[in-house]
Each structure stands twice: as C-alpha cells, then as structure tokens.
Amino acid sequence: QLQLVESGGGLVQAGGSLKLSCAASGRRSFSSFAMGWFRQTPGKEREFVSAISWSGATPRYADSVKGRFTISRDNAKNMVYLQMNSLKPEDTAVYYCAADYRLNQIVSTSQDEYEYWGRGTQVAVSS
C-alpha cells in the first residue's frame, strides 16, 4: 500500500505561482513508482498534467502546461512536487497526485496505469 497526501493548493491571481507537494507513505518503496499529477474540473474527465519516472530522469508534461510547470521528486523524502508558474484561469482544478508501480524510465499519461491516488488539492486561479 502507498498513501498519498497532496498539499499546497490555494487561490492565486493569474500570472502567479504555486507549488504543490505530495507526500507518500506506506509499506511500498516510493522509489519503485513513477509519479504523476492529474487534474479535474467539475463536469470534465480527469486529465494528465505531468509525470516523472522513479529516478527523475524522464519528466513529461501535457502540452497545456509545458514551459510553465515543473515536476520534481525527492526519493529520500518520499516527496513529489509540481511547481506551477504563469498560472492561468484555465488551470483551475482539483489536482491529484498518483503513483504507478514501474521500474523502467517510461512514464504514462493514462490514469488507468496509476494504482494509488491522493484525495486532491484545490487550485483556483482568478483572472
């Protein structure tokens, strides 16, 4: 089992920044998982935002956030982060952290590949 808890959401003006954090705990080794961030707005399907391999070597981003968001991880602290800059109102969503048991360098954009999920943290960007 792996428990994930997100934090760092909030209300910010357009053009501002937020840094989301996801703390992992449990019996399974955090460094055996690729980690991803997804987001969801009411009435829409959850969408891929970013993901990173277990080693941190292969970050991947949705086109809509490329150049603005940066994913990182600290395996010693069992943490994954999402630095979000130049935020736009369309970034408003609940952001979820997710874990995919995977020991290669491939990262998946499909939520079906992720076994463990946090409860989410709300990000609201005002115009």
Side-chain angles (χ1 to χ4, degrees), residues 32-60:
S32 299
F33 290 86
M35 298 299 296
W37 288 97
F38 292 76
R39 66 187 182 188
Q40 189 171 24
T41 54
K44 292 188 177 181
E45 291 194 2
R46 192 154 48 187
E47 65 172 1
F48 171 78
V49 176
S50 181
I52 191 168
S53 63
W54 70 270
S55 68
T58 51
R60 196 168 176 183

Short mmCIF file of all heavy atoms in Angstrom, two decimals, residues 32-60:
data_model
loop_
_atom_site.label_atom_id
_atom_site.label_comp_id
_atom_site.label_asym_id
_atom_site.label_seq_id
_atom_site.Cartn_x
_atom_site.Cartn_y
_atom_site.Cartn_z
N SER A 32 10.08 2.95 -6.20
CA SER A 32 9.65 1.95 -7.18
C SER A 32 8.51 2.46 -8.06
O SER A 32 8.02 1.71 -8.92
CB SER A 32 9.16 0.68 -6.47
OG SER A 32 10.18 0.11 -5.69
N PHE A 33 8.12 3.70 -7.83
CA PHE A 33 6.95 4.24 -8.51
C PHE A 33 7.30 5.43 -9.38
O PHE A 33 8.04 6.33 -8.98
CB PHE A 33 5.91 4.70 -7.49
CG PHE A 33 5.24 3.59 -6.74
CD1 PHE A 33 5.83 3.08 -5.59
CD2 PHE A 33 4.04 3.07 -7.18
CE1 PHE A 33 5.22 2.05 -4.90
CE2 PHE A 33 3.42 2.04 -6.50
CZ PHE A 33 4.01 1.53 -5.35
N ALA A 34 6.73 5.42 -10.59
CA ALA A 34 6.63 6.67 -11.33
C ALA A 34 5.49 7.47 -10.68
O ALA A 34 4.53 6.89 -10.18
CB ALA A 34 6.31 6.40 -12.79
N MET A 35 5.64 8.78 -10.69
CA MET A 35 4.65 9.63 -10.03
C MET A 35 4.04 10.59 -11.04
O MET A 35 4.73 11.12 -11.92
CB MET A 35 5.30 10.42 -8.90
CG MET A 35 5.88 9.55 -7.80
SD MET A 35 4.63 8.54 -6.98
CE MET A 35 3.59 9.81 -6.25
N GLY A 36 2.75 10.82 -10.89
CA GLY A 36 2.07 11.71 -11.82
C GLY A 36 1.18 12.70 -11.12
O GLY A 36 0.80 12.52 -9.96
N TRP A 37 0.89 13.76 -11.83
CA TRP A 37 -0.10 14.76 -11.41
C TRP A 37 -1.20 14.81 -12.48
O TRP A 37 -0.90 14.88 -13.68
CB TRP A 37 0.53 16.14 -11.26
CG TRP A 37 1.42 16.30 -10.08
CD1 TRP A 37 2.78 16.20 -10.05
CD2 TRP A 37 1.02 16.63 -8.74
NE1 TRP A 37 3.25 16.41 -8.79
CE2 TRP A 37 2.19 16.69 -7.96
CE3 TRP A 37 -0.21 16.87 -8.12
CZ2 TRP A 37 2.16 17.00 -6.59
CZ3 TRP A 37 -0.24 17.17 -6.77
CH2 TRP A 37 0.93 17.23 -6.03
N PHE A 38 -2.42 14.77 -11.99
CA PHE A 38 -3.59 14.89 -12.85
C PHE A 38 -4.47 16.00 -12.28
O PHE A 38 -4.31 16.39 -11.12
CB PHE A 38 -4.38 13.58 -12.89
CG PHE A 38 -3.65 12.46 -13.59
CD1 PHE A 38 -2.62 11.78 -12.98
CD2 PHE A 38 -4.01 12.09 -14.88
CE1 PHE A 38 -1.94 10.75 -13.63
CE2 PHE A 38 -3.35 11.06 -15.54
CZ PHE A 38 -2.31 10.39 -14.91
N ARG A 39 -5.40 16.48 -13.07
CA ARG A 39 -6.32 17.50 -12.57
C ARG A 39 -7.71 17.26 -13.14
O ARG A 39 -7.88 16.65 -14.19
CB ARG A 39 -5.82 18.90 -12.90
CG ARG A 39 -5.80 19.23 -14.38
CD ARG A 39 -5.12 20.59 -14.60
NE ARG A 39 -5.11 20.98 -16.00
CZ ARG A 39 -4.47 22.03 -16.49
NH1 ARG A 39 -3.75 22.82 -15.66
NH2 ARG A 39 -4.52 22.33 -17.77
N GLN A 40 -8.69 17.80 -12.41
CA GLN A 40 -10.07 17.61 -12.82
C GLN A 40 -10.90 18.82 -12.43
O GLN A 40 -10.76 19.35 -11.32
CB GLN A 40 -10.65 16.35 -12.18
CG GLN A 40 -12.02 15.96 -12.70
CD GLN A 40 -12.45 14.60 -12.19
OE1 GLN A 40 -12.00 14.12 -11.16
NE2 GLN A 40 -13.34 13.95 -12.95
N THR A 41 -11.75 19.24 -13.35
CA THR A 41 -12.72 20.29 -13.08
C THR A 41 -14.12 19.67 -13.16
O THR A 41 -14.31 18.65 -13.82
CB THR A 41 -12.59 21.44 -14.08
OG1 THR A 41 -12.68 20.91 -15.42
CG2 THR A 41 -11.27 22.14 -13.92
N PRO A 42 -15.09 20.28 -12.49
CA PRO A 42 -16.45 19.71 -12.48
C PRO A 42 -16.99 19.51 -13.89
O PRO A 42 -16.89 20.38 -14.75
CB PRO A 42 -17.26 20.77 -11.72
CG PRO A 42 -16.27 21.42 -10.83
CD PRO A 42 -14.99 21.46 -11.62
N GLY A 43 -17.55 18.34 -14.12
CA GLY A 43 -18.15 18.03 -15.39
C GLY A 43 -17.19 17.58 -16.46
O GLY A 43 -17.59 17.28 -17.59
N LYS A 44 -15.91 17.51 -16.11
CA LYS A 44 -14.89 17.09 -17.07
C LYS A 44 -14.15 15.87 -16.56
O LYS A 44 -14.09 15.61 -15.36
CB LYS A 44 -13.90 18.21 -17.34
CG LYS A 44 -14.49 19.40 -18.08
CD LYS A 44 -13.39 20.38 -18.48
CE LYS A 44 -13.94 21.54 -19.28
NZ LYS A 44 -12.88 22.48 -19.70
N GLU A 45 -13.56 15.14 -17.49
CA GLU A 45 -12.75 13.99 -17.10
C GLU A 45 -11.43 14.45 -16.52
O GLU A 45 -10.92 15.52 -16.85
CB GLU A 45 -12.52 13.09 -18.32
CG GLU A 45 -13.76 12.38 -18.80
CD GLU A 45 -13.42 11.26 -19.77
OE1 GLU A 45 -12.23 11.03 -20.03
OE2 GLU A 45 -14.37 10.63 -20.26
N ARG A 46 -10.88 13.61 -15.67
CA ARG A 46 -9.57 13.91 -15.11
C ARG A 46 -8.54 13.86 -16.24
O ARG A 46 -8.57 12.97 -17.08
CB ARG A 46 -9.25 12.89 -14.03
CG ARG A 46 -8.06 13.23 -13.19
CD ARG A 46 -8.15 12.58 -11.81
NE ARG A 46 -8.50 11.18 -11.84
CZ ARG A 46 -8.77 10.46 -10.76
NH1 ARG A 46 -8.75 11.03 -9.57
NH2 ARG A 46 -9.07 9.19 -10.86
N GLU A 47 -7.64 14.83 -16.24
CA GLU A 47 -6.67 14.90 -17.32
C GLU A 47 -5.24 14.88 -16.77
O GLU A 47 -4.96 15.34 -15.66
CB GLU A 47 -6.88 16.17 -18.16
CG GLU A 47 -6.64 17.47 -17.43
CD GLU A 47 -6.68 18.69 -18.34
OE1 GLU A 47 -6.92 18.54 -19.56
OE2 GLU A 47 -6.45 19.80 -17.83
N PHE A 48 -4.38 14.37 -17.61
CA PHE A 48 -2.94 14.29 -17.29
C PHE A 48 -2.33 15.68 -17.28
O PHE A 48 -2.62 16.50 -18.16
CB PHE A 48 -2.25 13.42 -18.33
CG PHE A 48 -0.75 13.44 -18.24
CD1 PHE A 48 -0.08 12.72 -17.26
CD2 PHE A 48 0.00 14.21 -19.13
CE1 PHE A 48 1.30 12.74 -17.18
CE2 PHE A 48 1.38 14.24 -19.05
CZ PHE A 48 2.03 13.50 -18.07
N VAL A 49 -1.48 15.92 -16.30
CA VAL A 49 -0.74 17.18 -16.21
C VAL A 49 0.76 16.94 -16.40
O VAL A 49 1.39 17.53 -17.27
CB VAL A 49 -0.99 17.88 -14.86
CG1 VAL A 49 -0.13 19.14 -14.74
CG2 VAL A 49 -2.47 18.21 -14.70
N SER A 50 1.31 16.04 -15.58
CA SER A 50 2.74 15.81 -15.62
C SER A 50 3.06 14.51 -14.92
O SER A 50 2.27 14.02 -14.09
CB SER A 50 3.48 16.97 -14.93
OG SER A 50 4.87 16.79 -14.98
N ALA A 51 4.21 13.92 -15.25
CA ALA A 51 4.64 12.70 -14.59
C ALA A 51 6.16 12.62 -14.64
O ALA A 51 6.81 13.27 -15.47
CB ALA A 51 4.03 11.47 -15.25
N ILE A 52 6.69 11.80 -13.75
CA ILE A 52 8.14 11.67 -13.65
C ILE A 52 8.48 10.23 -13.30
O ILE A 52 7.78 9.59 -12.53
CB ILE A 52 8.69 12.67 -12.61
CG1 ILE A 52 10.21 12.77 -12.65
CG2 ILE A 52 8.20 12.32 -11.20
CD1 ILE A 52 10.77 13.94 -11.86
N SER A 53 9.54 9.71 -13.88
CA SER A 53 9.94 8.34 -13.62
C SER A 53 10.51 8.19 -12.22
O SER A 53 10.79 9.18 -11.53
CB SER A 53 10.98 7.90 -14.65
OG SER A 53 12.15 8.69 -14.54
N TRP A 54 10.73 6.96 -11.82
CA TRP A 54 11.19 6.71 -10.45
C TRP A 54 12.52 7.40 -10.17
O TRP A 54 12.76 7.84 -9.05
CB TRP A 54 11.33 5.21 -10.21
CG TRP A 54 12.47 4.57 -10.95
CD1 TRP A 54 12.44 4.02 -12.20
CD2 TRP A 54 13.83 4.45 -10.50
NE1 TRP A 54 13.67 3.56 -12.55
CE2 TRP A 54 14.55 3.81 -11.54
CE3 TRP A 54 14.49 4.81 -9.33
CZ2 TRP A 54 15.91 3.53 -11.43
CZ3 TRP A 54 15.85 4.53 -9.21
CH2 TRP A 54 16.54 3.90 -10.26
N SER A 55 13.35 7.53 -11.19
CA SER A 55 14.66 8.13 -11.00
C SER A 55 14.65 9.65 -11.21
O SER A 55 15.63 10.32 -10.92
CB SER A 55 15.65 7.53 -11.97
OG SER A 55 15.33 7.91 -13.30
N GLY A 56 13.54 10.17 -11.72
CA GLY A 56 13.50 11.59 -12.03
C GLY A 56 14.08 11.93 -13.39
O GLY A 56 14.15 13.11 -13.76
N ALA A 57 14.45 10.92 -14.16
CA ALA A 57 15.16 11.16 -15.41
C ALA A 57 14.25 11.55 -16.57
O ALA A 57 14.72 12.14 -17.54
CB ALA A 57 15.96 9.93 -15.79
N THR A 58 13.01 11.22 -16.51
CA THR A 58 12.13 11.44 -17.67
C THR A 58 10.85 12.16 -17.27
O THR A 58 9.79 11.53 -17.19
CB THR A 58 11.80 10.11 -18.37
OG1 THR A 58 11.33 9.19 -17.39
CG2 THR A 58 13.02 9.55 -19.06
N PRO A 59 10.91 13.46 -17.05
CA PRO A 59 9.67 14.20 -16.81
C PRO A 59 8.86 14.33 -18.10
O PRO A 59 9.43 14.36 -19.19
CB PRO A 59 10.17 15.56 -16.33
CG PRO A 59 11.51 15.70 -16.95
CD PRO A 59 12.09 14.33 -16.99
N ARG A 60 7.59 14.40 -17.93
CA ARG A 60 6.69 14.51 -19.08
C ARG A 60 5.57 15.48 -18.72
O ARG A 60 5.13 15.51 -17.58
CB ARG A 60 6.12 13.13 -19.42
CG ARG A 60 5.50 13.01 -20.77
CD ARG A 60 5.25 11.55 -21.10
NE ARG A 60 4.56 11.44 -22.38
CZ ARG A 60 4.17 10.29 -22.90
NH1 ARG A 60 4.40 9.17 -22.25
NH2 ARG A 60 3.55 10.27 -24.04
#
